[in-house]
Amino acid sequence: MPASPSTARALNDRLALRLLQQEGPLTAGQLKQLTGLSRPTVADLVDRLTASGLITVVGESGEQRRGPNARLYGIVADRAHLAALDVRTEGVFVLVSDLLGRVLAEASVPIGPDAGTGPAVEQAVAAVESAAKEAGADRLHTVGIGAPGLIDPATGDLRDSVGLPAWHRSLAVTLQDRLPGARVTVENETNLAALAEQREGAARDRDTFVLLWLGHGVGAAVVLDGALRRGASGGTGEIGFLPVPGTATLPSAGDCAGGFHSLTGAAAVTSLAAECGLPAPAAPDGPGAAEAVRGAVAEVEKAEEGVPVPVPVAGERGPMAVPVTGPGAAVPVARPGQVEARPGEGDGRRPGGTEVKGGAEPDAVTASASGEAGPGAGRSDVEPDGGFAFAPREAGPAAWASGADSGRVSVSESGSASAGHLGCGAPPRAEPGGATPAAPPGDLPAARFLRILADRIAVGAASVVAVLDPGCVVLGGEVGQAGGTVLAGLVEERLRRMSPLATEVRASSLGGTAVLRGALLTARDRAQDELFAPPDRPGG
């Protein structure tokens, strides 16, 4: 059944506006070429959109002769102003843009944990109003908010979540009251990050992928066949609650402690860095964890380039330089698509000399980076440093499957070692007489730290891959971006060993800014959907 004249006009107008959004200013002739519409039809839609105030002449094309055919038409960017908010436990980040998404003003405000709901909401709203004033916006058309927690799929409201500040839920309602006429929407922060990565970041060529958010906390977002999946209760991707080996307890309905969060949250990452002898970050939060990962990647990359890297030595105050070639060299770290070079690989040995019989790999996660036997040796169980110990070669496949042991050792909630284990592995000790041995292959603290962190990330990622088969996992958040191709390559190599499902692992290109970008894209889409819809015309 052919479309009615009014429907055809609406479709043509929307097509032209989308082209102007994507391509920038265009002449009527270019619109004709890109849309395939006739010249009279293009002339009519240009007149309609100009009269409605959606487009205007913004210049002339140098390729055309002067006259009507040379006019460049563009969207009227200040027809509407938008705001995007990234709401975090410790504060709010705000930006204001025009209808095209061009950022005009930014603001941020820290909000302490002791702030009451009323004062906290007032601080956040004041930041929005201040940014709008700086941008020259008399009013805001649409506000997009990204926040942690569950979004009720029926109402679109942020649900009450244990462990999150009460002011988060009050913010959207207050903004709606203080910004008359504004459309205020709330979305889970990780979902918004996935939207931004798909539109502007690392997943631009993927219709199906999973974003694994690694920041202050952990989360996941699932995009299947181009659509974001939220689940029956809006809780798709609450991977922090995923039970994993190597934690002291199981997560509960109200607390993710003991779940995947306890292995890969910011506190666990910064604790692991300290155990490995890396410089302590300023704070055990997302930026602090990213700082530790970024520093480790830089050390590994220096080692690969042949630059001596200092390694802490037990009993000495100063560092020693470890050669990057020869028997004391650092182990190269794999990039995505490569297999990580590991000590003794190919001869049936794991790092530290642990032998593995053919066909007896219970998981593809690496052995304890320290190579120390310790009380936990000989069990198919998680070492307190976040790596995995393997049963002795005599045990055979049955030992791998059982994993039972009354003396199992676990990771504390901060990710630190317990039961007297060495955690990330002890630094080389000075020999009698003061001689200091060179570190064994792969014993650079930064390399050990990254390997163990990749082990931990792979535990959660493997569960996601086994259920969803996304083909691509993006490591997002501050930590995912800081790890870059080095950390992504290590995780991909582990997934290749653990799963028969081919999975590419990519580092985020947006990092911690992805939530704010996603909130802005959502606000822009909603505003344009409303403004670009032509008014009903009587008579069709």
Side-chain angles (χ1 to χ4, degrees):
M1 180 177 176
S4 66
S6 60
T7 301
R9 287 195 296 267
L11 292 174
N12 292 341
D13 290 355
R14 180 67 64 92
L15 174 59
L17 288 165
R18 290 300 179 199
L19 286 171
L20 290 169
Q21 165 74 51
Q22 296 167 7
E23 305 293 333
L26 298 169
T27 64
Q30 290 169 328
L31 281 171
K32 174 181 177 299
Q33 181 179 6
L34 292 171
T35 61
L37 300 172
S38 68
R39 189 180 300 277
T41 300
V42 169
D44 286 344
L45 73 83
V46 166
D47 288 342
R48 281 195 305 273
L49 295 177
T50 301
S52 66
L54 288 172
I55 69 173
T56 188
V57 177
V58 296
E60 292 186 345
S61 171
E63 299 176 1
Q64 304 274 359
R65 63 183 184 275
R66 297 185 64 83
N69 292 334
R71 294 173 185 163
L72 281 169
Y73 295 92
I75 293 174
V76 179
D78 60 1
R79 174 70 185 270
H81 289 92
L82 321 170
L85 282 73
D86 179 0
V87 178
R88 305 194 180 191
T89 304
E90 68 279 5
V92 177
F93 295 85
V94 181
L95 63 78
V96 173
S97 80
D98 61 22
L99 185 57
L100 293 176
R102 294 183 299 208
V103 177
L104 304 175
E106 299 178 82
S108 64
V109 56
I111 298 176
D114 298 329
T117 298
V121 169
E122 188 59 37
Q123 286 179 269
V125 173
V128 175
E129 292 173 338
S130 174
K133 182 178 180 180
E134 181 183 343
D138 295 331
R139 59 180 294 271
L140 293 173
H141 183 280
T142 307
V143 178
I145 303 174
L150 302 180
I151 307 299
D152 189 320
T155 65
D157 296 332
L158 184 65
R159 291 169 53 185
D160 191 14
S161 300
V162 176
L164 294 177
W167 63 266
H168 281 195
R169 294 193 67 208
S170 303
L171 179 58
V173 175
T174 305
L175 281 172
Q176 191 70 77
D177 292 340
R178 295 274 287 273
L179 302 174
R183 293 90 176 142
V184 179
T185 59
V186 186
E187 178 60 274
N188 174 267
E189 58 179 355
T190 309
N191 287 343
L192 289 178
L195 172 65
E197 293 287 357
Q198 186 181 36
R199 299 268 288 271
E200 301 180 347
R204 280 174 290 186
D205 60 337
R206 305 291 307 197
D207 287 331
T208 296
F209 71 100
V210 168
L211 173 76
L212 191 59
W213 181 267
L214 302 169
H216 182 75
V218 297
V222 178
V223 177
L224 301 177
D225 299 324
L228 184 68
R229 307 296 179 176
R230 293 179 173 84
S233 62
T236 295
E238 288 295 323
I239 197 171
F241 287 87
L242 178 72
V244 292
T247 58
T249 183
L250 290 173
S252 67
D255 190 354
C256 60
F260 185 57
H261 173 87
S262 293
L263 290 183
T264 54
V269 173
T270 55
S271 177
L272 176 63
E275 292 173 31
C276 290
L278 300 181
D285 54 11
E291 177 187 343
V293 172
R294 192 176 297 109
V297 169
E299 284 200 20
V300 168
E301 290 178 336
K302 284 182 182 178
E304 289 181 339
E305 294 169 2
V307 180
V309 178
V311 173
V313 179
E316 293 187 3
R317 298 184 64 181
M320 78 173 186
V322 174
V324 292
T325 58
V331 179
V333 178
R335 299 306 201 273
Q338 299 177 339
V339 176
E340 178 198 1
R342 306 295 294 260
E345 203 159 82
D347 61 3
R349 288 184 173 271
R350 282 291 193 180
T354 304
E355 291 191 6
V356 180
K357 296 183 69 174
E361 290 203 20
D363 50 39
V365 195
T366 60
S368 171
S370 67
E372 301 282 346
R379 296 197 306 276
S380 177
D381 198 14
V382 178
E383 288 288 284
D385 62 8
F388 284 70
F390 292 85
R393 58 181 296 174
E394 295 81 14
W400 308 128
S402 68
D405 187 270
S406 60
R408 64 181 300 170
V409 180
S410 61
V411 178
S412 67
E413 292 315 307
S414 65
S416 59
S418 58
H421 276 263
L422 297 174
C424 192
R429 294 184 175 275
E431 295 177 348
T436 302
D443 203 40
L444 285 177
R448 297 201 308 275
F449 167 70
L450 290 172
R451 286 201 305 271
I452 297 167
L453 180 57
D455 288 347
R456 295 181 176 192
I457 295 171
V459 171
S463 298
V464 172
V465 167
V467 174
L468 297 176
D469 185 20
C472 178
V473 172
V474 176
L475 302 184
E478 297 97 337
V479 172
Q481 184 183 44
T485 56
V486 173
L487 183 60
L490 288 170
V491 175
E492 181 177 311
E493 182 265 343
R494 282 149 177 76
L495 289 180
R496 187 182 301 116
R497 295 182 188 181
M498 297 172 75
S499 172
L501 306 175
T503 306
E504 182 182 3
V505 180
R506 300 177 180 179
S508 165
S509 59
L510 300 176
T513 67
V515 176
L516 205 54
R517 290 300 306 169
L520 177 59
L521 290 170
T522 301
R524 189 184 74 182
D525 288 350
R526 182 174 181 184
Q528 290 184 356
D529 282 345
E530 179 177 324
L531 293 172
F532 290 0
D536 295 333
R537 294 178 176 82

